[in-house]
Amino acid sequence: MEIITYSLIGTIGGFGIVFLQSYYRKKKHGNVPTVDERSLLLFKRYFLLVLYIVLFGSSALLLILFAIGVKTIEIEILIVYMMFLFIFIELGAFITKRL
């Protein structure tokens, strides 16, 4: 029950932060868009590339682990792996936005 409560609080808090940021940005800049068509094309290409890298990279990693005889993977290791994936994807998106 605690996990559900914390998840809901985090989700509502995240939506609140995004809402407040967009509200203040719109108040300060008006209707000027945050990204243009070129940026959207760069994002599309970046996320398409990341999708295949993560898909094939994770598949290759699982095949290598299977080949060396690993039969179980701990949940904590999967959480750390996903955390690093999200961090690297977010850093790449931040760099792509700055291009």
Side-chain angles (χ1 to χ4, degrees):
M1 190 63 177
E2 291 178 7
I3 293 175
I4 294 172
T5 305
Y6 292 136
S7 298
L8 287 174
I9 290 171
T11 302
I12 292 170
F15 279 126
I17 290 170
V18 170
F19 176 75
L20 288 174
Q21 280 181 336
S22 67
Y23 174 75
Y24 286 123
R25 189 192 175 288
K26 188 167 186 162
K27 190 175 181 181
K28 184 177 180 181
H29 296 289
N31 286 332
V32 178
T34 57
V35 293
D36 58 353
E37 293 85 13
R38 181 179 156 270
S39 297
L40 289 177
L41 183 63
L42 286 173
F43 276 130
K44 185 174 91 171
R45 288 180 183 167
Y46 169 72
F47 284 120
L48 184 63
L49 180 68
V50 166
L51 170 72
Y52 285 110
I53 289 173
V54 168
L55 181 68
F56 289 125
S58 297
S59 298
L61 181 64
L62 286 174
L63 287 174
I64 290 169
L65 288 173
F66 180 74
I68 62 174
V70 174
K71 298 294 180 192
T72 60
I73 301 173
E74 293 185 26
I75 297 296
E76 292 86 9
I77 300 298
L78 288 176
I79 291 171
V80 170
Y81 174 72
M82 291 300 295
M83 180 183 68
F84 281 117
L85 274 180
F86 285 134
I87 289 171
F88 287 133
I89 290 171
E90 184 64 31
L91 284 175
F94 181 73
I95 292 169
T96 303
K97 186 175 182 179
R98 295 292 176 186
L99 292 177

